[in-house]
Amino acid sequence: MKKAYLEIRPLWTVLACGLATLLTPPMASAKPAPAIEVRVETTLPTAETNRPALALDGKQGTFFKSSRSADEHDQFTIYFSHGVKLKRIEVLTGDQQSTNQLAAGVLEVSTDGKEFKEVAKFEAGVSKAKLKSLPVMAVRIRPIKKDQTAQEPTGRGQFRRNRGSLVLREIVLDPAPVVAKVTQAMCVMVDTSEVPELDAWGLHAKALCEEWYPKLVALMPSEGFEPVLSTRLLFKKDKGGVADTSRGTDINIAGKYVIGHTNDFGMVIHELTHVVQAYPGPKDGFSKPGWLVEGIADNIRLFHFEPNVRRPRIDPDRAKYTDAYKTTAGFLDWVESHYDKELVKKFNAALRDGEFQDTLWQKYTGKTVDELWKEFTDSLRKSV
Ligand SMILES: [Zn+2]
């Protein structure tokens, strides 16, 4: 059933609102303009069910809302299936209380779907542009870095409470085209501006993410799970370590590390796995074991992305299954091949639902994790 779900709704064409969305009734003219299809690409993850299509449904009561705040690395772009002659575009942001507005940003249009030109700025959360009726192929909303000297509006408490989202209430197109459907496509954004010598590396990493994201989603399904359709690869000049994942979508990569390890694309897949995992934080009676989260990320990396690379050696006398990363990854692979081929899938689903318990080892294999670890390390000693 889970498989069917993925086959029916391939990641690249997830129907953002399900059914055809009419902006306005077609004009009663003799020859109505052909309906357009709209593809949305945004780096902003959706909060709850406030999908991008709701910013294009002609209703100001429904809106797109992001699950995190927007910054200058974000974008919300709509691509049309064919050129649309527009006289005017108006973008309304913020909710009814005027919170979650786009404080600083630009509205851009493209006549070829590639090059964008600024047509208006955002003021008080609203942007209005008059156009020359050129056929427009795409419209982009891009937050910009705020002037550091500009002060936030007063009412700090309210601002603070709401700063975790951007609300796009409506993108008003005039004349309103008939929209046949709105789909959302995967959006991988890469920023190497702090480490420009990694431009080419970053583009390769982006292509890898585009190729592997749907595969990772298929490897880690769970009931009712909707993956975020955006991720950002942010290369940092002064970051120590290797890489980490934050805010659900951001893969922060240490530029210095990549310069010294230019063939380590597996690291990107490990981090991308964290984006797909999307495990909840601690809540009543549940906290995810970090070693298992990292073990699953390395299990996916080593046994699916790098199946032909030599397996890392595990020292049976010193290692523990809680060592995380390659050790836990190797252990999981061994348990899968000896006891339950779906173990990682099952653990992933339980972690994502906030229901993982140690007792699941016994439930799926008939043995405790300690018994399994003993068998695994015994087998390693025999094979030396
Ligand atoms: Zn990790």
Side-chain angles (χ1 to χ4, degrees):
M1 204 173 105
K2 282 163 190 163
K3 259 191 185 148
Y5 162 79
L6 284 159
E7 278 157 20
I8 293 162
R9 298 184 63 189
L11 190 69
W12 302 94
T13 55
V14 174
L15 254 184
C17 70
L19 291 168
T21 308
L22 242 55
L23 271 185
T24 53
M27 299 288 283
S29 63
K31 225 181 167 189
I36 56 162
E37 292 183 6
V38 177
R39 191 179 86 248
V40 178
E41 286 184 21
T42 179
T43 50
L44 289 162
T46 300
E48 295 134 29
T49 55
N50 298 289
R51 298 169 177 288
L54 298 175
L56 285 155
D57 64 354
K59 299 175 199 152
Q60 291 194 26
T62 59
F63 45 78
F64 165 72
K65 184 177 182 180
S66 64
S67 63
R68 62 163 171 77
S69 55
D71 62 33
E72 72 273 20
H73 301 298
D74 282 312
Q75 53 145 315
F76 186 100
T77 310
I78 56 175
Y79 294 92
F80 302 129
S81 52
H82 55 260
V84 183
K85 287 191 175 176
L86 296 172
K87 288 196 183 101
R88 207 173 57 90
I89 305 174
E90 193 172 320
V91 180
L92 310 167
T93 73
D95 45 36
Q96 241 79 357
Q97 293 78 37
S98 299
T99 45
N100 297 321
Q101 289 180 341
L102 182 55
V106 291
L107 178 63
E108 301 169 319
V109 299
S110 171
T111 51
D112 62 2
K114 291 178 190 122
E115 299 285 317
F116 286 81
K117 202 178 108 209
E118 180 181 327
V119 288
K121 291 199 187 325
F122 278 82
E123 275 172 49
V126 177
S127 180
K128 294 177 184 180
K130 278 193 176 152
L131 305 177
K132 292 181 190 135
S133 266
L134 282 172
V136 170
M137 288 298 293
V139 176
R140 182 162 76 185
I141 295 155
R142 207 161 50 79
I144 53 174
K145 213 170 201 165
K146 261 183 276 180
D147 181 356
Q148 296 300 312
T149 58
Q151 289 298 305
E152 297 299 349
T154 50
R156 294 190 304 270
Q158 192 185 46
F159 180 79
R160 225 172 259 157
R161 261 205 315 280
N162 291 291
R163 73 178 168 181
S165 290
L166 171 66
V167 165
L168 286 181
R169 206 156 75 233
E170 201 56 35
I171 300 170
V172 183
L173 306 173
D174 179 24
V178 177
V179 179
K181 67 174 178 180
V182 181
T183 57
Q184 189 182 353
M186 176 68 190
C187 179
V188 180
M189 176 264 178
V190 58
D191 181 17
T192 44
S193 57
E194 285 188 24
V195 203
E197 63 261 52
L198 292 178
D199 278 358
W201 203 94
L203 284 177
H204 186 68
K206 173 181 151 79
L208 263 184
C209 289
E210 284 165 349
E211 180 194 343
W212 274 84
Y213 196 81
K215 294 183 188 177
L216 300 185
V217 169
L219 284 168
M220 296 190 286
S222 64
E223 199 73 40
F225 173 64
E226 302 235 5
V228 292
L229 288 171
S230 56
T231 190
R232 310 193 296 182
L233 304 175
L234 307 174
F235 289 77
K236 308 274 166 100
K237 188 166 152 254
D238 298 321
K239 183 178 168 54
V242 181
D244 58 49
T245 300
S246 62
R247 307 213 297 173
T249 58
D250 294 355
I251 297 175
N252 308 295
I253 298 173
K256 279 183 209 140
Y257 171 80
V258 175
I259 289 164
H261 304 79
T262 48
N263 56 2
D264 192 5
F265 288 102
M267 164 270 282
V268 178
I269 300 300
H270 173 105
E271 296 303 328
L272 192 64
T273 303
H274 286 320
V275 175
V276 178
Q277 283 175 322
Y279 301 155
K283 59 180 184 186
D284 310 330
F286 168 76
S287 75
K288 55 190 170 190
W291 58 269
L292 185 57
V293 176
E294 296 301 343
I296 290 175
D298 255 11
N299 178 274
I300 297 286
R301 171 206 171 141
L302 294 169
F303 296 93
H304 294 277
F305 179 67
E306 298 170 335
N308 300 320
V309 172
R310 247 179 67 146
R311 299 278 74 88
R313 214 183 97 70
I314 297 168
D315 181 343
D317 298 318
R318 306 177 72 164
K320 302 188 291 296
Y321 60 80
T322 52
D323 283 348
Y325 301 102
K326 65 183 175 89
T327 302
T328 308
F331 176 48
L332 285 168
D333 182 65
W334 183 88
V335 180
E336 279 204 327
S337 54
H338 289 78
Y339 287 93
D340 184 343
K341 287 189 168 41
E342 304 271 285
L343 190 75
V344 170
K345 272 195 179 101
K346 290 173 180 172
F347 280 1
N348 169 71
L351 284 159
R352 201 182 268 147
D353 293 340
E355 285 167 1
F356 180 83
Q357 303 284 344
D358 280 344
T359 50
L360 289 186
W361 290 95
Q362 218 155 355
K363 180 177 172 189
Y364 297 134
T365 68
K367 301 208 167 144
T368 66
V369 62
D370 292 298
E371 288 165 347
L372 292 164
W373 178 253
K374 189 177 176 307
E375 281 183 28
F376 173 59
T377 46
D378 285 349
S379 78
L380 288 178
R381 282 188 196 95
K382 272 184 217 145
S383 65
V384 170

